[in-house]
Amino acid sequence: MPDTVNGLPLHPLVVHAVVVLLPLAALGVAALAVRPSWRGRYGGLVVLITALATAAIPLATSSGESLEHRVGDPGEHAELGDTLIWFALPLLVAAVALVWLHRRDTRSSDSRRTPRALAVVVAVLAVVVAVANLVQVYRVGDSGAKAVWGSAPAASVGHGDDD
């Protein structure tokens, strides 16, 4: 895989796919969990977005490793980035499970429907996994920003005392 596009490192470009799609997927999964009536209409779209976000993570980590060879070790950012796939995969499973349960229930007779307790457990787990993904995306992004900009806020980088 090339590590630059038009002279720009590929990693920051690919990372934006993850930064946009994974939180969107997490919010979509949480919405499907709390609004079962949306599963039929939006479930396929949420599964697709979640799958795309999950697929983008290995591209981001691979391009990050290429960038690491050029600019040095980003420390905690690389370690946290490597964990993100283990958050996204359960999110994808949760999205698929919510949609599958919905489709199963709409095609089944009343006697073969998913037990209410199981449906609630799946929905609660989906929300927990979605929140964990949001937190982990923030942690990875924050550590990446600190690796690039240091601990100073970006607005103060390069500015002297104005007093």
Side-chain angles (χ1 to χ4, degrees):
M1 169 183 351
D3 61 340
T4 61
V5 174
N6 289 335
L8 294 172
L10 183 61
H11 182 66
L13 302 173
V14 174
V15 161
H16 282 87
V18 176
V19 168
V20 170
L21 292 176
L22 194 55
L24 184 60
L27 293 173
V29 169
L32 294 181
V34 299
R35 298 293 299 240
S37 63
W38 291 359
R39 293 176 191 169
R41 177 176 284 161
Y42 303 111
L45 179 62
V46 171
V47 168
L48 176 64
I49 291 169
T50 309
L52 290 172
T54 302
I57 293 169
L59 297 174
T61 55
S62 176
S63 63
E65 289 167 0
S66 295
L67 184 60
E68 181 178 352
H69 294 301
R70 293 178 56 205
V71 300
D73 183 9
E76 181 184 28
H77 177 64
E79 295 169 18
L80 288 172
D82 287 340
T83 68
L84 195 55
I85 191 72
W86 303 113
F87 286 78
L89 287 171
L91 186 68
L92 181 57
V93 169
V96 170
L98 289 168
V99 172
W100 181 78
L101 287 174
H102 173 76
R103 288 186 179 164
R104 179 178 181 262
D105 286 349
T106 57
R107 292 182 182 148
S108 298
S109 64
D110 286 339
S111 64
R112 303 215 8 127
R113 297 190 98 181
T114 304
R116 177 124 173 94
L118 176 61
V120 169
V121 167
V122 170
V124 168
L125 288 174
V127 170
V128 169
V129 168
V131 169
N133 271 269
L134 292 171
V135 170
Q136 192 66 1
V137 167
Y138 173 82
R139 291 179 68 217
V140 173
D142 184 59
S143 67
K146 287 177 180 172
V148 171
W149 299 103
S151 60
S156 67
V157 174
H159 298 285
D161 280 331
D162 292 348
D163 295 343

